[in-house]
């Protein structure tokens, strides 16, 4: 009986380890673009660039200035924001885990 319980616990632990590792393959970046006075900036283009691959991911801010970049592969990224009437803003590099 003890061997069966131990084998069952090992099997469950292996499944948990596989599930845990599978949960860390993507990440997301969410934020709000504002100007220096704190007003939101709608229709701004937000671009995340993976520094290892140079692959880019784009989003456009909503009328509330909010953007979502979802399902990004984990890694190091630079983020840039462009909008009409504003100079380009850049951030990074930073790591997504």
């Amino acid at each position: 009986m003890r061997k069966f319980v131990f084998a069952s616990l090992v099997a469950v632990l292996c499944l948990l380890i596989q599930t845990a590792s599978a949960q860390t393959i993507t990440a997301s970046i969410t934020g709000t673009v504002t100007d220096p006075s704190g007003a939101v900036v709608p229709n701004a283009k937000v671009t995340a660039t993976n520094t290892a691959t140079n692959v880019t991911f784009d989003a456009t801010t909503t009328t509330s200035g909010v953007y979502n970049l979802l399902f990004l592969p984990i890694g190091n990224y630079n983020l840039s924001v462009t909008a009409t009437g504003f100079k380009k803003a850049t951030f990074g590099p930073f790591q997504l885990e």
Side-chain angles (χ1 to χ4, degrees):
M1 179 69 171
R2 283 186 174 184
K3 286 184 179 181
F4 176 74
V5 171
F6 179 75
S8 296
L9 288 174
V10 169
V12 169
L13 182 59
C14 288
L15 287 173
L16 289 174
I17 290 171
Q18 287 179 342
T19 302
S21 66
Q23 293 175 353
T24 60
I25 60 171
T26 63
S28 61
I29 305 170
T30 301
T32 303
V33 177
T34 58
D35 68 12
S37 72
V40 298
V41 180
N43 298 315
K45 181 180 178 185
V46 180
T47 302
T49 304
N50 184 301
T51 61
T53 63
N54 269 345
V55 174
T56 60
F57 302 87
D58 296 320
T60 302
T61 59
T62 64
T63 55
S64 300
V66 175
Y67 65 91
N68 293 300
L69 292 159
L70 306 175
F71 305 111
L72 302 174
I74 58 172
N76 291 317
Y77 285 83
N78 288 317
L79 192 72
S80 64
V81 181
T82 57
T84 303
F86 296 93
K87 71 178 190 174
K88 182 178 182 178
T90 58
F91 308 92
F94 55 89
Q95 185 171 6
L96 294 180
E97 297 178 345

